[in-house]
Amino acid sequence: MDDSARRLPHTRRTAAFVAVVAALALAAPTAHAGTATSGGLDRYHQQRLDWGSCAEGPGDSMGRDLDKAGVRCADVTVPLDYAAPEGRTITVAISRLEATDRRHRVGALLINPGGPGGTALDMPPDIREAMKETGARYDLIGMDPRFVGRSTPLDCGWPVSTAVLSAGAGRAGFERQVALQKRLAAKCRAADDDVLPHVSTRNTARDMDVIRSALGERKLSYLGYSYGTYLGTVYTQMFPGRYDRVVLDGALDTRRYQPRLLRGAEPENERALADWAAWAARRHTTYGLGRSRGQVLATVDRIVAKSARGLMLGTGRDVFRVDDSHVPFLLVEGIADDSGPARAAFGETVSALAEAAAGRPVRLSRHLAELLRYATTGVDSASGSAQSAILCGDVAAPRDPERYWRDIQRSRTRHPLFGPLTNNVTPCAFWDRPRERPTQVRHDARTLIVAATGDPRAPYSGSVALRHRLPSSKLITLKGANRHGLYAEYGNRCVDDRVNAYLASGELPAKDQVCVRKP
């Protein structure tokens, strides 16, 4: 989940845009790469992009910031169904921060923040800053994948903004989840039944290749986080001759990729929560949650137990009711970043929950009010709709609700807090079967994989597995960090320098590298 949209599983910083001096002129026509295409796709690969302002109106602060940073935006036309390219078309929104060192230009680097369903239109200025002098050698491309953000939209009109919820303490809570998730799937089918079969990672990879060609590039470089590592891996498998430098940050194990993305990550989440609890215990006078790690964790357990009967948070017009389907989600949201500011924000969240559990009125911070609104209302229905549509369109999910109940019950004994969340039923149980089989990794790929040993969203074991599945790749390990999303986000100089060296030279390290989190 990213910090701005709170979308699992990716976390990204919300830094101010960096002012970049660049001309705001429309791009001149470019020569196309000439990569052979087939199946009637030439008109997409050979399209001319109409670059213009990123601002969609006077109230579009993101677009204005991008314009000030020298970023230009365009819509790329792609087929809804690649098997019928003469049929309906959709658009994919992209942004571009052009290289200023044209003499040493490497090419275009496309960015994906994860999600799935994360938007990247706003990311090029921050990535340019992190790349330092190397950034001037790349055209940095932000992409809102199909049906995400400013691309052709998909919004099922959900009453919630995420389907990532817990089954709660018992059978009654699970039955409520089955009913809710079935209703979410039905809403998507009613609203967008004609496009759902075409929402998938494989089609997003095909869109990327259209973007590559429309940009006039023979090869595309790539930076992907979390789910974006899966998308990047799929691209290397589908288009093995069309990528250059690839960075995969917080990688997913392709063999374990499935709609229940967090399943199997319970131990990492428990360790991250325990580490945060030790941090909070040293600040008992601030948060009042306990003077030892055990006491803080006991407070968390009491909150979860009390939430089974419902908790009220907020005053005035901003009052939210949460229960034991929401609280584990709120906890997972807060432990994917062990930086000081993130831990402090999470401390405020848990303190507010503890006050509510004690029956006292709670005044909400802006951050917590936004998070509760996201978890309990449809304020961002589009993000949850797109995320589920991608997951459900990639891999078939078990259909029988009893399968999920058995998984929950088995996991509850060892992981009573997170097991009912990670194993819960999803809308994919009630979705149509995917049109295509999941992508198999059959080709080696020279990629740079970046991972933290304590990543609670994409366990470190997934990055190790992908490293072995791609023998020519190399792995940069950050020890001692409970963090999801490292390069350009976490501020670890060792990681950033090694990634930048690769992006500058195109040469992978001679061997796997290890960095250490500084206290």
Side-chain angles (χ1 to χ4, degrees):
M1 173 190 318
D2 60 18
D3 291 337
S4 58
R6 296 165 299 280
R7 184 175 295 119
L8 281 166
H10 177 66
T11 305
R12 47 181 282 216
R13 63 177 181 168
T14 53
F17 287 102
V18 181
V20 178
V21 179
L24 297 181
L26 288 175
T30 57
H32 287 271
T35 303
T37 61
S38 60
L41 296 176
D42 284 351
R43 70 184 179 104
Y44 299 103
H45 283 263
Q46 296 172 9
Q47 66 187 290
R48 173 187 170 124
L49 301 181
D50 184 14
W51 296 100
S53 170
C54 295
E56 295 189 326
D60 181 8
S61 59
M62 182 192 81
R64 290 200 313 271
D65 287 339
L66 287 174
D67 287 347
K68 290 176 184 177
V71 179
R72 305 298 274 171
C73 290
D75 288 332
V76 182
T77 301
V78 299
L80 171 66
D81 182 357
Y82 275 87
E86 71 285 350
R88 178 179 170 184
T89 63
I90 59 174
T91 58
V92 174
I94 64 172
S95 61
R96 179 174 69 179
L97 183 57
E98 287 193 276
T100 54
D101 184 357
R102 308 299 294 183
R103 183 178 179 183
H104 302 100
R105 182 180 179 276
V106 175
L109 184 147
L110 188 141
I111 307 160
N112 183 277
T119 66
L121 222 63
D122 62 335
M123 293 184 71
D126 285 344
I127 299 301
R128 168 68 57 85
E129 180 186 23
M131 292 174 73
K132 300 180 181 177
E133 62 273 8
T134 302
R137 299 172 56 198
Y138 283 88
D139 288 354
L140 299 178
I141 309 298
M143 175 185 70
D144 285 359
R146 55 172 48 204
F147 305 112
V148 170
R150 295 190 179 184
S151 297
T152 297
L154 184 155
D155 188 347
C156 302
W158 282 3
V160 293
S161 300
T162 179
V164 182
L165 298 167
S166 176
R171 181 74 191 201
F174 173 71
E175 293 294 345
R176 287 192 293 271
Q177 283 297 304
V178 171
L180 171 63
Q181 303 288 349
K182 188 174 184 178
R183 183 156 59 103
L184 298 182
K187 280 184 168 290
C188 283
R189 190 172 292 108
D192 295 290
D193 189 47
D194 55 338
V195 304
L196 294 181
H198 310 293
V199 188
S200 69
T201 297
R202 287 180 64 84
N203 278 333
T204 299
R206 294 180 176 110
D207 294 343
M208 287 170 54
D209 202 55
V210 170
I211 292 169
R212 173 201 60 77
S213 186
L215 291 172
E217 303 290 340
R218 291 192 177 278
K219 293 186 177 183
L220 188 67
S221 292
Y222 181 80
L223 168 63
Y225 298 86
S226 191
Y227 159 81
T229 68
Y230 180 73
L231 172 61
T233 303
V234 169
Y235 186 79
T236 68
Q237 301 304 299
M238 293 180 68
F239 303 99
R242 301 181 190 174
Y243 63 89
D244 185 10
R245 302 168 196 189
V246 176
V247 179
L248 306 176
D249 190 322
L252 304 183
D253 183 349
T254 54
R255 291 183 179 175
R256 298 184 66 181
Y257 176 78
Q258 57 160 322
R260 291 184 285 180
L261 268 181
L262 287 174
R263 192 171 186 225
E266 299 88 359
E268 287 79 7
N269 279 278
E270 288 166 351
R271 284 194 292 271
L273 181 62
D275 288 348
W276 170 82
W279 178 92
R282 297 192 293 272
R283 295 159 179 82
H284 175 70
T285 55
T286 301
Y287 302 109
L289 298 171
R291 298 184 182 278
S292 69
R293 180 172 63 180
Q295 289 178 357
V296 174
L297 292 175
T299 298
V300 171
D301 288 342
R302 285 195 295 274
I303 292 169
V304 176
K306 287 280 189 179
S307 71
R309 296 188 293 275
L311 304 178
M312 303 300 294
L313 294 96
T315 56
R317 298 174 62 182
D318 270 345
V319 177
F320 302 92
R321 183 187 186 278
V322 300
D323 58 29
D324 55 356
S325 70
H326 304 106
V327 171
F329 165 83
L330 299 176
L331 298 175
V332 164
E333 188 277 339
I335 56 177
D337 185 349
D338 62 5
S339 64
R343 280 184 160 175
F346 186 47
E348 293 172 0
T349 293
V350 179
S351 291
L353 290 169
E355 290 293 298
R360 292 188 283 268
V362 177
R363 183 177 295 276
L364 303 177
S365 67
R366 181 177 178 181
H367 167 77
L368 182 53
E370 290 179 351
L371 179 59
L372 291 171
R373 191 172 292 111
Y374 179 83
T376 63
T377 77
V379 64
D380 199 4
S381 163
S383 73
S385 302
Q387 182 177 82
S388 289
I390 295 166
L391 291 169
C392 301
D394 280 346
V395 181
R399 313 291 286 181
D400 183 4
E402 291 304 315
R403 165 79 174 272
Y404 295 89
W405 176 246
R406 290 193 296 270
D407 290 344
I408 289 167
Q409 291 298 87
R410 278 194 295 266
S411 68
R412 198 189 298 276
T413 55
R414 293 187 60 188
H415 310 292
L417 174 55
F418 293 120
L421 173 78
T422 60
N423 290 275
N424 195 22
V425 64
T426 77
C428 302
F430 311 101
W431 217 265
D432 291 342
R433 297 280 181 175
R435 286 279 183 95
E436 298 184 80
R437 293 180 180 274
T439 302
Q440 300 297 313
V441 175
R442 304 186 188 280
H443 307 288
D444 192 6
R446 292 177 55 82
T447 69
L448 184 63
I449 303 169
V450 182
T453 55
D455 187 338
R457 296 274 174 81
Y460 178 69
S461 58
S463 290
V464 173
L466 186 61
R467 162 70 178 87
H468 291 302
R469 210 150 288 138
L470 304 174
S472 295
S473 65
K474 291 294 184 289
L475 173 64
I476 299 176
T477 297
L478 179 61
K479 285 189 172 182
N482 299 324
R483 168 71 193 206
H484 187 58
L486 298 176
Y487 173 68
E489 299 188 344
Y490 193 49
N492 184 275
R493 184 173 178 179
C494 175
V495 169
D496 289 355
D497 286 352
R498 281 160 173 74
V499 173
N500 284 338
Y502 165 63
L503 292 174
S505 68
E507 296 295 326
L508 289 167
K511 59 182 181 179
D512 293 342
Q513 306 281 305
V514 175
C515 297
V516 179
R517 177 187 183 271
K518 294 183 179 180

